[in-house]
Amino acid sequence: MHDWAYNLGYTEVNFNDQTTNLGRGGVENDPEHGNAQAGGIIGGPPTYSSRDNANQFWTPDGISPTRNMFLWQVVPGAFYAPCVDGDYDMSVIGHEYTHIISNRMVGGPDDRLRDGQANAMGESWSDLSAMESLHEFGFLPVAGENDWAVGPYVTGDPQRGIRNYGMNHSPLNYSDVGYDLTGPQVHADGEIWSATNYAIRQAMVDRYGAGTPELQESCARGELAADACPGNRRWVQLMFDAWLLMPTRTSMVDARDAMLAADFMRFHGVDLDLLWNTFASHGLGEGASSHMSADTAPIPDFTSPFLDEGTLVFKPVGSSSTPSQGELYVGQYQARSRPVADTDPATPLDDTVSLVPGTYDFLVRADGFGTRKFVVTVRGGRTRDLPVHLRPNLASSHNGAVATGDGVNLDKLIDDTEATNWASLNTPVAGQEVTVRLDPSKSTHDIRRVQVSAMLRPPIVGDADPGAQSRFSALRQFEILTCSVRSGVDCTNDAEFTSVFVSPPDAFPAVVPRPRAPDLIIRSFAIPRTRASHVRLRVLENQCTGTPGYRGDQDNDPRHDTDCVTGSAAVLGVSQGEVVRAAELQVFDR
């Protein structure tokens, strides 16, 4: 890993870590110190220190940096890893080692990356470097694994590893900063940069070819200059070059500009069109902006100086009325993501968005109309209306619906946004329920579809559910029951409700090692056509109780109980079998 990085520019004058610098400059006597199975004896239950992790301690040039590689095992109600040794997962080793490289090359001899977006890109650069080195030397793919997933061995997830997405299957863009259930977070937000750079890498391969395994290895060993190598080597060379051209508190916009400058300096700007077009397709176009690295709500832009964009005029249309404040998002996330257009005159946005040609995921949210997701192909040089037909959300509080039942924050289940949620606390989750009196403008409604979200949120001080929200508390399986008010029936008794739909057991389909944001965002479920004035959401399972990989004994360590329901209290202070959360129940007539 040291030699691979050296051949890309991590040399003595660029502050690398070597016992001797061979008279080539920099400060020596700072070799990397690696601890295998760090904390292996003293870690584990009951505190789980030195487990399910790895770290790299940054040091200035001239002081030896230290990397710790840990053992991995189940932490009940927190992380369900197999019992393995992290020293055997090169994607983790390479990830950690790249932290010393990127911190020193960006920060110089005595500083390091600082603040949110810079640290997020630090995580991304570590992922990208680890995986690229493995590819160039021909060590990937491994049978059955996504060869762009980081940590598949240590996590037991062969497709996504330790991240929300394998970087080759990621829908994320710059409007999604803070999208994860934690809010802004360096690993999750780093996936935005990974998705963007993976796309640049693939575009470079398309332009310059992938070469042969022999050529890839020759380039990895530094035997050929980057301009004589396949496209992926040109991309990673730009990544290393760009580190020397950006500040320590760098935003993704700053890093974009550094890569553009690096292409000028090394390749005379021959790939500026490719770089700009790909950055633009991920929201880092020419109009993107950020208030330094700490900005958690940067402004995305999808335009390029090298392409004729298409412009969409957002026109939300309701069946009986037009939403007054509809919001249009690019991507799959609404909570904490930034819309690109809206119809609210009080915001800085307007109702148009320009995008480089391509196919995009879109999401629309409006008070009283819930959420709609769809896909649009944008063609260059055209301005066209984007009429989005929205059905009224019959379970929306903005339409007069009222929620009653178990738990706290019941109104947050029917407020048309995934940024808030309902919770039932300190009670076994099976059977917990919320009943919604639908839009009272009609005595009953014809309903055919529900949308449900199990998305979580960051802590809110003073809220009825104020603390950190465990991923394992999210809803997994549910039942829908209905009732119609009529003579002698007021829908206040359980016996008056009829079950009309039971979701699949994996309605929100998390797997090991833990539930993740893509598993929990809003999903649509068709139900049998039903007349109802009241709809009830009944919990059958949360992620802790209903996911097979989180139940029962998952290892041979006699010191702890790995079952999520019975063992999570020792780690989290409360059994996750007694907490459940859901963000939205939306009800539609079609």
Side-chain angles (χ1 to χ4, degrees), residues 74 76 80 544-545 547-555 560-567:
V74 170
Y80 281 77
C544 180
T545 65
T547 306
Y550 310 152
R551 299 304 309 274
D553 184 24
Q554 300 292 328
D555 62 22
H560 71 137
D561 176 7
T562 60
D563 184 85
C564 184
V565 174
T566 59

Side-chain angles (χ1 to χ4, degrees), residues 72 79-82 84 89 91 143-166 509-516 518-519 550:
W72 295 63
F79 202 85
Y80 281 77
V84 296
D89 195 323
S91 67
E145 290 184 359
N146 175 6
D147 55 342
W148 287 98
V150 178
Y153 174 72
V154 294
T155 63
D157 184 339
Q159 297 307 311
R160 294 183 289 178
I162 202 167
R163 304 288 176 237
N164 287 321
Y165 298 96
V511 295
V512 296
R514 61 183 180 178
R516 288 168 275 203
D519 305 323
Y550 310 152

